[in-house]
């Protein structure tokens, strides 16, 4: 952030809007992981019934994020984000009435998936990057920490609600949290595609999506973000159920996601700050090295202590790539098509997240254990480290060269 003067009020409002949008944004996805086991037991379903809905959500939101990113380059961010919030509130709120697996596919997988894209990291990242061109990493780390803090606070509250009055009420409260965002979005988010003089500070030259796709750098990033999504959404969907299967109490297991959110809060702030100083490559490599260690731990030992250590260590890496996405895209391909390119990368991340969530459910239903899934996640993290070691940052003298 600028050190010589106070931030303009418009910039403060942008930070607040981005922070609270992401604060609420992740709560719906996490609510499904939190309620997975009680829903299955109450409705007499298989875990794959909900895992398939999470997979559909990941694919739908992923595709929608690409289009949301393209729209963020062209239309009113206020309209885009507010529309996403309203659609999210409807889809997640109606989850409290489901009685058949196809209801979850429709409400969570399709409707919530589309709405989620409008108020997620690609659109918020574009808004913040335009406002803070000199400190993009830290500013995006700050707003992404809203997602982590939301995971800490909202999930802790929802875990208590789940124990007291049941899983259906969880979804009503998540819908209410989305609707509460609307006044802030109206007053804080710019009504136009830019942000006045603040946006003018950010250069808008850069490669098109088609030009970027011709570079090796682009495909390395696509592959690394695919692995990241595979890991992220496997863990957030199945960690609570895995802990309960291992003998941990329901309340303690539910709060594991909240603890992960606390660790993620620290992780995204550190990643954003270091990303501004060193570039995004080193924080990304460090993140995957930690994942290799914590997946290996659970393959060796599934005790309560090991699960708690896993939660903290993985939490430090969870969401780390979110503030780094705009840094990778800005440094490699420029600002002109930041929304479209970052939206596509996020689309791949979430698509593979759906694969991770669904594969975890299928593997458990087939084997009664998550061991094979944890081994796959470990191997994929090793692959991500190898790919990042091959990544070649652009030459300093060529802002958008391949």
């Amino acid at each position: 952030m600028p050190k010589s003067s106070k931030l303009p009020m418009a910039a403060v409002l942008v930070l607040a809007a981005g922070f609270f949008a992401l604060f609420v944004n992740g709560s719906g996805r996490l609510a499904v992981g939190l309620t997975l086991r009680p829903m299955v037991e109450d409705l007499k379903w298989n875990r794959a019934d909900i895992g398939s809905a999470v997979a559909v959500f990941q694919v739908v939101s992923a595709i929608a994020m690409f289009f949301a990113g393209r729209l963020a380059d062209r239309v009113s961010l206020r309209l885009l984000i507010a529309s996403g919030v309203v659609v999210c509130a409807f889809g997640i709120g109606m989850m409290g009435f489901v009685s058949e697996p196809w209801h979850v596919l429709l409400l969570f997988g399709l409707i919530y998936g589309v709405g989620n894209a409008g108020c997620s990291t690609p659109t918020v990242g574009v808004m913040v990057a335009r406002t803070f061109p000199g400190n993009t990493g830290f500013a995006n780390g700050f707003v992404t920490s809203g997602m982590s803090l939301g995971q800490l606070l909202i999930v802790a509250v929802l875990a208590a609600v789940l124990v007291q009055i049941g899983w259906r009420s969880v979804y009503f409260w998540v819908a209410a949290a989305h609707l509460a965002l609307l006044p802030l979005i109206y007053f804080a988010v710019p009504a136009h595609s830019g942000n006045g003089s603040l946006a003018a500070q950010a250069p808008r030259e850069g490669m098109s999506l088609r030009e970027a796709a011709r570079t090796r750098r682009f495909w390395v990033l696509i592959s690394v973000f695919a692995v990241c999504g595979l890991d992220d959404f496997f863990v957030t969907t199945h960690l609570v159920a895995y802990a309960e299967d291992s003998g941990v109490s329901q309340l303690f297991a539910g709060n594991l996601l909240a603890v992960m959110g606390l660790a993620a809060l620290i992780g995204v702030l550190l990643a954003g700050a270091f990303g501004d100083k060193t570039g995004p490559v080193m924080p990304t490599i460090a993140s995957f090295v930690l994942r290799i260690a914590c997946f290996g731990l659970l393959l060796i030992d599934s005790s309560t202590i090991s699960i708690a250590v896993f939660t903290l260590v993985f939490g430090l890496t969870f969401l780390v790539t979110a503030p780094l996405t705009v840094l990778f895209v800005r440094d490699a391909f420029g600002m002109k098509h930041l929304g479209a390119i970052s939206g596509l990368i996020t689309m791949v991340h979430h698509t593979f997240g759906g694969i991770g969530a669904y594969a975890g459910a299928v593997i458990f239903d087939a084997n009664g254990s998550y061991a094979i899934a944890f081994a796959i996640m470990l191997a994929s993290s090793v692959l991500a480290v190898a790919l990042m070691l091959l990544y070649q940052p652009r030459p300093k003298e060529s802002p958008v060269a391949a």
Side-chain angles (χ1 to χ4, degrees), residues 181-194:
L181 287 172
L182 291 176
L184 176 62
I185 292 170
Y186 179 80
F187 289 107
V189 177
H192 38 81
S193 59

Side-chain angles (χ1 to χ4, degrees), residues 92-345:
I92 205 69
M94 294 299 292
M95 280 283 290
F97 299 100
V98 299
S99 59
E100 299 290 340
W102 72 266
H103 295 164
V104 183
L105 286 170
L106 173 64
L107 294 170
F108 183 76
L110 181 59
I111 297 175
Y112 187 77
V114 170
N116 181 264
C119 51
S120 59
T121 50
T123 52
V124 170
V126 169
M127 177 178 69
V128 172
R130 289 176 184 166
T131 307
F132 299 95
N135 299 91
T136 301
F138 183 81
N140 268 289
F142 175 81
V143 298
T144 304
S145 73
M147 192 179 294
S148 308
L149 190 60
Q151 183 170 338
L152 172 64
L153 298 179
I154 292 178
V155 172
V157 171
L158 294 180
V161 170
L162 176 62
V163 171
Q164 296 298 320
I165 54 177
W167 62 267
R168 293 185 186 274
S169 297
V170 166
Y171 293 108
F172 301 148
W173 285 107
V174 172
H178 279 83
L179 294 176
L181 287 172
L182 291 176
L184 176 62
I185 292 170
Y186 179 80
F187 289 107
V189 177
H192 38 81
S193 59
N195 191 29
S197 60
L198 290 169
Q201 298 174 25
R204 298 296 297 275
E205 74 280 355
M207 301 172 73
S208 68
L209 178 57
R210 180 174 298 179
E211 291 167 336
R214 296 188 184 123
T215 68
R216 186 176 73 175
R217 188 178 301 116
F218 175 85
W219 293 105
V220 170
L221 288 179
I222 287 289
S223 300
V224 169
F225 276 77
V227 171
C228 183
L230 190 77
D231 293 353
D232 283 351
F233 292 99
F234 163 72
V235 171
T236 56
T237 303
H238 296 284
L239 177 61
V240 173
Y242 169 78
E244 291 174 347
D245 292 341
S246 301
V248 173
S249 71
Q250 186 183 63
L251 182 59
F252 183 89
N255 279 299
L256 288 175
L257 291 178
V259 172
M260 187 186 295
L262 176 61
L265 175 65
I266 299 169
V268 294
L269 290 173
L270 290 175
F274 281 108
D276 282 333
K277 293 182 179 180
T278 68
V281 173
M282 290 309 298
T284 303
I285 290 175
S287 171
F288 282 106
V289 168
L290 289 175
R291 290 186 177 199
I292 291 168
C294 64
F295 283 129
L297 175 63
L298 285 192
L299 284 171
I300 296 171
D301 180 46
S302 60
S303 67
T304 300
I305 293 176
S306 292
I307 292 172
V309 171
F310 172 90
T311 301
L312 287 170
V313 174
F314 188 88
L316 287 172
T317 75
F318 184 57
L319 304 177
V320 157
T321 53
L324 299 179
T325 304
V326 291
L327 289 183
F328 273 120
V329 174
R330 182 199 66 186
D331 293 350
F333 311 115
M335 286 286 293
K336 186 174 182 181
H337 298 283
L338 177 66
I341 299 174
S342 62
L344 179 62
I345 291 174

